[in-house]
Amino acid sequence: MSLGSSEKLHVSSGTREADPDEASELLDLLRLDLDPDGEQRAAEGGDAPCSKNVLRKQRHWERQLAAKKSKRKEEKQRRRLNRARESGGDTDAAQLTKRVMKAITKERLAEARSTGRKLCVDLSMTDCMSDKEISRLAGQLRRLYGSNKRATRPFHLFLTDLRDGSRLYRECVRMNDGFLGYAMEITEESCLDLFPSESVVYLTPDAQEALQTVDADKVYVLGGLVDESIQKKLSLSRAAELSVRTARLPVDEYMVKKNNAKNFHSKILAVNQVFDILLTFSETGSWTQALQTWFPAGKGFVISPENSTCFPVEEQ
């Protein structure tokens, strides 16, 4: 109840002594007049329907409704993308929201962890590396994972022999945002603890046999070393220690040396560069395209004339 202007109480001096109950009632009425919420409700012309609690619930309901609409729209876009991919159509990925692309990437990586080709990075040789080399390797692992995330058919990745608290482990956590949340297996076990030796193919530039194809029933292992490591044939020695098959990229079969001012030629690649070549070959079936796209020009090799084909070169 509120007092109108015509109902205001006038108390003059010399009147009778006020009854205690009457005084209490008068104070209650005055407090009602000064209640800001009461004034707001009166101004808005209503009581409960316009209360703060009702408005808050209404806003919450509107947000839920908008979220459901957004989710339905994204699911529709995902279905459209899947239909286009299955039919071989070209879909403009730029029209998709980042949230949808993130969901698609997550779905691909989850599928790869159950059905994808398997690739391990053997990190058992980091004790012979300098702090600078450790830092560079951590950066190469980040780029390797980024390539796998963007792939149409990603690999199921394993980082083996990575000890918790080791120099490389700490550097990966420091340099690579979200490293411990990467969609890959990070383990202190070796590749032979995870897979039978007959299924393992260790890739090393010093192997005699050239890799011909990438089989789904094989496990490919890359030695976790960097370019400036001065120890020769370390990855080959590691493969011999494991008693597993070895293979090299078919550089000699598809490439030739190119004359350059420094007369420099090297087949030693960074871990992520070897991975990019394997990934492109797995998706295209062409060693020419994979090597032309990802083998660094500064290494002093080019595709041989008999294998030469013009492919668009991705920015490295």
Side-chain angles (χ1 to χ4, degrees):
M1 182 174 87
S2 177
L3 292 177
S5 57
S6 61
E7 296 174 314
K8 289 184 178 178
L9 298 177
H10 300 274
V11 181
S12 58
S13 59
T15 59
R16 64 179 176 82
E17 184 177 350
D19 184 85
D21 292 336
E22 182 180 358
S24 175
E25 183 178 356
L26 290 175
L27 289 173
D28 289 340
L29 292 174
L30 289 172
R31 278 195 294 271
L32 285 174
D33 254 355
L34 297 174
D35 179 15
D37 290 337
E39 289 179 355
Q40 181 180 359
R41 285 194 296 270
E44 293 175 349
D47 293 322
C50 293
S51 69
K52 292 182 179 179
N53 188 42
V54 171
L55 291 174
R56 184 168 58 251
K57 288 181 178 180
Q58 183 177 352
R59 287 194 296 269
H60 178 68
W61 178 82
E62 289 173 350
R63 285 194 298 268
Q64 284 187 321
L65 183 62
K68 288 180 180 179
K69 288 182 179 179
S70 176
K71 187 175 181 179
R72 284 196 297 268
K73 182 178 179 181
E74 290 170 359
E75 288 296 329
K76 186 176 180 181
Q77 289 175 323
R78 286 185 61 189
R79 288 194 296 269
R80 187 185 303 120
L81 177 67
N82 289 334
R83 286 195 300 268
R85 188 187 303 122
E86 291 170 1
S87 62
D90 183 21
T91 303
D92 186 3
Q95 294 180 352
L96 300 175
T97 65
K98 290 183 179 180
R99 186 174 177 182
V100 173
M101 293 303 297
K102 185 176 181 180
I104 293 170
T105 297
K106 185 177 181 180
E107 184 178 308
R108 285 177 181 167
L109 292 174
E111 184 178 353
R113 294 177 84 167
S114 58
T115 63
R117 292 178 171 86
K118 299 177 178 62
L119 183 136
C120 300
V121 181
D122 177 14
L123 301 172
S124 64
M125 299 170 280
T126 55
D127 289 342
C128 64
M129 297 167 59
S130 67
D131 289 342
K132 179 183 177 182
E133 290 170 337
I134 289 288
S135 183
R136 287 193 52 160
L137 180 57
Q140 291 174 12
L141 293 177
R142 180 183 66 248
R143 290 189 286 274
L144 183 153
Y145 181 68
S147 293
N148 202 49
K149 283 179 63 177
R150 294 188 296 270
T152 304
R153 297 170 57 196
F155 276 80
H156 184 187
L157 298 178
F158 297 78
L159 299 186
T160 61
D161 294 278
L162 181 56
R163 299 188 305 275
D164 188 0
S166 65
R167 286 187 301 156
L168 179 60
Y169 184 93
R170 295 195 304 269
E171 194 68 1
C172 284
V173 172
R174 184 187 72 84
M175 289 182 58
N176 306 338
D177 187 33
F179 173 74
L180 297 180
Y182 280 4
M184 62 167 67
E185 316 304 329
I186 301 175
T187 176
E188 296 186 6
E189 295 181 298
S190 75
C191 57
L192 292 189
D193 293 326
L194 304 174
F195 306 103
S197 60
E198 59 270 19
S199 68
V200 174
V201 180
Y202 206 111
L203 297 181
T204 168
D206 300 307
Q208 295 295 319
E209 178 187 352
L211 187 65
Q212 298 296 323
T213 188
V214 177
D215 296 323
D217 59 346
K218 297 296 183 182
V219 180
Y220 296 91
V221 181
L222 307 182
L225 294 170
V226 292
D227 296 347
E228 58 263 40
S229 178
I230 61 174
Q231 300 191 44
K232 303 297 183 182
K233 299 185 178 181
L234 194 57
S235 58
L236 184 64
S237 299
R238 171 60 174 165
E241 177 186 332
L242 297 173
S243 299
V244 296
R245 174 190 164 194
T246 60
R248 57 175 172 78
L249 294 177
V251 177
D252 293 336
E253 288 72 19
Y254 288 86
M255 307 188 81
V256 293
K257 291 182 179 180
K258 179 183 179 181
N259 293 329
N260 56 66
K262 295 183 179 180
N263 194 30
F264 174 77
H265 304 89
S266 175
K267 301 174 188 176
I268 308 298
L269 303 179
V271 174
N272 59 295
Q273 292 169 340
V274 177
F275 178 74
D276 285 331
I277 291 172
L278 287 177
L279 190 60
T280 300
F281 173 77
S282 298
E283 293 182 342
T284 65
S286 170
W287 283 116
T288 299
Q289 181 172 354
L291 291 167
Q292 179 179 306
T293 303
W294 296 109
F295 201 96
K299 296 290 182 178
F301 285 85
V302 294
I303 296 295
S304 60
E306 58 268 27
N307 293 309
S308 183
T309 306
C310 184
F311 292 106
V313 177
E314 297 186 30
E315 184 177 340
Q316 300 183 27

